[in-house]
Amino acid sequence: MIRNSMEEKEEKNKYSIIVPTYNERLNIALTIYLIFKHLQNVNFEVIVVDDGSPDGTQEIVKQLQQVYGEDCILLRPRPKKLGLGTAYMHGLKHATGNFVVIMDADLSHHPKYLPSFIKKQIETGASIVTGTRYVKGGGVHGWNLMRKLTSRGANVLAHTLLWPGVSDLTGSFRLYQKSVLEDVISSCVSKGYVFQMEMIVRASRKGYHIEEVPITFVDRVYGSSKLGGSEIVEYLKGLLYLLVTT
Amino acid sequence: MKHIVKIMALLVALSAFWISLLQTSVLPQSYTWLLPLYFIVSLGCYGLLMVGVGLIQFPTCPHEAILLQKDIVEAKGFLKEKGVDIGSE
């Protein structure tokens, strides 16, 4: 009986997966293949928001549309790099689902976790399901000691100061009820890592029901990820900003 | 209420408690004067301890990297078959 009603809900729900890209020609193809592999019998669409990549990312998305259908993969490009927050807003405008998933296209977010996000949301009725690397079943691969130390330090600092009630603040693999994402995103102004943290802290302060699922994070296979001194300074500024505005 | 206000309220409450201890001298004055220092030091120790524990218990997943490589090979095979131009890399 419970199973039946869960299946019914699943059928009614539609999931819009927003994937911002910049020079992710190969990664976006692999990601989309994996999304379609792991989301069978689910009503969904992938919205690729490409910020004018010079490497032909849009070209490859068009080819993928030929394979999977233009109604399942929407390409909604923007002329140039305009930032992550506005990329989500841009994608959101074109989303037709009642749920929105945001994820990175660099394969650090594996689409095989999508079913567990969906299942968790249906089981708990949560407004937001966020992927966390820091619980049992989750994890990170490809970070050196320095990167781990920075991450732990940042996390302890944020938890001591903000009491957010969520274990992974800077992760960006999340499922939102569409109306909740629209509400939260409109009040967020930060960029980069801080943007992800601001989203979840504001949502938590607004009293939205947030659940977590474990995810593993394999640092970029193709291309490079960066974390330097300026990111750390930005993070600290963001923390201070959240402290006085939320 | 802004979060900073909550933290400030907490600090004010702690200070009030401390001042009242100073006034009533339940504890010897010399101990009481050092309490804020102990508080700051223990806060620092807590932070370092949490970072240390987090670092020791940092969850890693080398197995996932291998699985991902398999997925990549599988995906590339499929995409090539469908004529998607993913390059020769």
Side-chain angles (χ1 to χ4, degrees), chain B residues 12-75:
Chain B
V12 168
L14 281 174
S15 315
F17 177 67
W18 179 62
I19 290 168
S20 72
L21 276 183
L22 273 180
Q23 297 287 331
T24 55
S25 43
V26 189
L27 292 168
Q29 286 262 336
S30 54
Y31 285 174
T32 318
W33 276 110
L34 285 175
L35 279 178
L37 191 68
Y38 289 150
F39 176 70
I40 291 165
V41 169
S42 52
L43 206 63
C45 286
Y46 163 81
L48 285 178
L49 187 77
M50 292 308 283
V51 172
V53 169
L55 211 52
I56 291 165
Q57 295 183 336
F58 201 96
T60 54
C61 49
H63 188 57
E64 289 296 323
I66 299 164
L67 290 178
L68 181 60
Q69 285 307 323
K70 282 185 191 154
D71 286 337
I72 289 172
V73 171
E74 182 190 309

Side-chain angles (χ1 to χ4, degrees), chain A residues 47-244:
Chain A
I47 303 171
V48 180
V49 180
D50 184 68
D51 277 3
S53 304
D55 76 337
T57 300
Q58 292 177 29
E59 191 48 47
I60 210 129
V61 173
K62 282 174 193 154
Q63 291 180 22
L64 289 160
Q65 285 178 324
Q66 300 309 310
V67 177
Y68 291 105
E70 279 180 40
D71 49 337
C72 292
I73 303 176
L74 313 181
L75 177 59
R76 297 291 178 267
R78 301 190 296 173
K80 61 175 175 65
K81 261 194 140 167
L82 292 165
L84 206 54
T86 54
Y88 293 133
M89 272 188 227
H90 183 80
L92 200 52
K93 270 189 274 175
H94 302 282
T96 61
N98 53 337
F99 286 95
V100 176
V101 175
I102 59 180
M103 65 184 290
D104 293 348
D106 61 4
L107 292 176
S108 56
H109 294 158
H110 199 298
K112 71 180 168 190
Y113 295 106
L114 287 169
S116 66
F117 280 81
I118 291 171
K119 188 160 162 269
K120 187 74 163 186
Q121 195 287 322
I122 290 170
E123 279 171 4
T124 62
S127 305
I128 301 174
V129 180
T130 176
T132 174
R133 297 162 283 187
Y134 305 126
V135 296
K136 200 174 180 302
V140 176
H141 178 77
W143 282 3
N144 61 18
L145 185 65
M146 199 55 210
R147 187 77 176 74
K148 287 179 185 172
L149 185 69
T150 323
S151 160
R152 289 324 306 181
N155 223 299
V156 168
L157 205 58
H159 276 95
T160 312
L161 292 176
L162 293 173
W163 319 339
V166 183
S167 65
D168 193 344
L169 290 168
T170 50
S172 53
F173 196 175
R174 293 180 185 146
L175 181 147
Y176 294 84
Q177 264 171 22
K178 191 185 177 191
S179 55
V180 173
L181 180 57
E182 283 167 340
D183 177 28
V184 176
I185 209 167
S186 60
S187 48
C188 289
V189 297
S190 308
K191 293 187 170 66
Y193 287 105
V194 182
F195 174 75
Q196 307 298 350
M197 183 161 72
E198 180 172 14
M199 292 273 282
I200 207 76
V201 171
R202 288 202 188 279
S204 163
R205 300 281 193 260
K206 282 174 187 248
Y208 286 120
H209 177 181
I210 304 172
E211 290 283 339
E212 297 188 310
V213 289
I215 58 161
T216 56
F217 181 96
V218 178
D219 210 358
R220 302 185 58 106
V221 184
Y222 302 109
S224 62
S225 74
K226 54 176 175 53
L227 181 76
S230 65
E231 270 85 18
I232 295 173
V233 172
E234 283 306 310
Y235 179 85
L236 293 176
K237 277 201 254 170
L239 212 57
L240 215 63
Y241 166 74
L242 288 180
L243 205 55
V244 295

